[in-house]
Amino acid sequence: MGKKEPIIITDKDEMRQWSRSIRAQSRTIGLVPTMGYLHEGHLSLIQESHKHTNFTVVSIYVNPGQFSPNEDLSTYPSDFLGDIQKLKSIPGGVDVVFHPHNLYDYGKNNGVKTDENQEEVMVVSCVENSGIGHETWVRVEKLENGLCGKSRPVFFRGVATIVAKLFNIVEPDVAVFGKKDYQQWRIIQRMVRDLDFGIKVIGAELIRDEDGLAKSSRNVRLSPEERKKALSISKSLSNAKSAAGKGHIDCKVLRDSVIHAIHEAGGEVDYAEIVDQESLESMKEIKSPAVFCVAAWFGNVRLIDNMEINV
């Protein structure tokens, strides 16, 4: 059987037209939003979409709205042709790859400046910088505050806004997000509930490499030595989960054990928090479904991981 060649759509009006023609046939559409540089974690989201819908759209778009001015958007890895090959390798493939050039309106020149070589250079979509163009943001106010939101204050504003835009353009019935980005998944679920999007948001299980490291596009930037050290995150989380299963439910003790293990391995902890699975509020003792969320730096790579704890 030949590999399925996805339709590649770059224009948002064309994307919306395609979706509406599919839905007019009473067929369902799943959306898997990505920033590209796909790995097995992303591919598992597509396989999850296949279980729930007739057609699957994968969006590939590096969203400038979720990068703050001190984060370098230009270093985000990309390999569009490689991504298409990976998508073709999945059983059932994907129907459409939505790969827009820019989804923000920056005013008159639409934010495209040219450098000396006449190549297009995108400007970051933050209205604070210029006072023109895009200025409407979606905030999920309580859920965005803790965990990753502490060190990346504009991140979830950018995520919620771009996902709302993608939902309005693609008009899917189902959207699939990975539970690796646990806070993001919960934020999108809450946004859909609060703004009455007619979309079912599914959280797909976190995928790990054989050594236990959570799959991430950032892993390629770890040196072999840093990668070994980074295994301290998943190992210490597993130990904390099994301790909780044996009745050790004091969150401070469990947190300290994970922080200590990561520091011992030479990592720097951004946060290590045990929170309620729904509200993401910190817990003192694990007495209801919890999730242990960690972000840590190894070298110049920030990694996130989590484990759900149901005692």
Side-chain angles (χ1 to χ4, degrees), residues 3-9 15 18-19 22 27-32 46 49-50 53-59 84 87-88 90-98 170:
K3 290 182 175 179
K4 185 169 187 175
E5 195 77 48
I7 303 166
I8 296 170
I9 296 178
M15 182 69 249
W18 180 89
S19 289
I22 295 301
R27 314 281 281 193
T28 54
I29 298 168
L31 170 66
V32 179
I46 294 158
S49 173
H50 286 166
T53 57
N54 306 120
F55 290 84
T56 294
V57 176
V58 171
S59 63
I84 297 297
L87 294 175
K88 283 161 69 172
I90 304 171
V94 303
D95 299 282
V96 171
V97 173
F98 180 46
V170 179

Side-chain angles (χ1 to χ4, degrees), residues 23 103 219 247:
R23 294 185 72 170
L103 286 179
N219 292 351

Side-chain angles (χ1 to χ4, degrees), residues 3 5-6 79-90:
K3 290 182 175 179
E5 195 77 48
D79 177 18
F80 185 68
L81 294 176
D83 288 345
I84 297 297
Q85 291 310 313
K86 285 175 187 167
L87 294 175
K88 283 161 69 172
S89 75
I90 304 171

Side-chain angles (χ1 to χ4, degrees), residues 60-174:
I60 296 180
Y61 180 66
V62 180
N63 172 31
Q66 68 196 55
F67 289 80
S68 63
N70 63 343
E71 294 175 319
D72 194 355
L73 176 65
S74 64
T75 63
Y76 197 86
S78 77
D79 177 18
F80 185 68
L81 294 176
D83 288 345
I84 297 297
Q85 291 310 313
K86 285 175 187 167
L87 294 175
K88 283 161 69 172
S89 75
I90 304 171
V94 303
D95 299 282
V96 171
V97 173
F98 180 46
H99 184 50
H101 176 54
N102 172 35
L103 286 179
Y104 293 90
D105 179 354
Y106 295 102
K108 282 183 189 156
N109 67 350
N110 209 23
V112 179
K113 299 174 178 173
T114 52
D115 62 15
E116 291 126 29
N117 304 322
Q118 292 303 301
E119 288 187 12
E120 292 185 344
V121 181
M122 295 307 301
V123 298
V124 173
S125 170
C126 282
V127 73
E128 294 87 340
N129 293 348
S130 60
I132 59 159
H134 186 88
E135 54 179 303
T136 305
W137 301 97
V138 179
R139 308 283 315 225
V140 181
E141 296 193 354
K142 259 169 80 177
L143 287 184
E144 72 172 32
N145 281 336
L147 304 175
C148 285
K150 275 184 195 163
S151 58
R152 306 180 77 192
V154 302
F155 178 71
F156 288 116
R157 175 189 84 166
V159 169
T161 302
I162 201 66
V163 172
K165 286 167 78 63
L166 287 168
F167 284 177
N168 283 330
I169 294 164
V170 179
E171 299 182 344
D173 300 278
V174 168

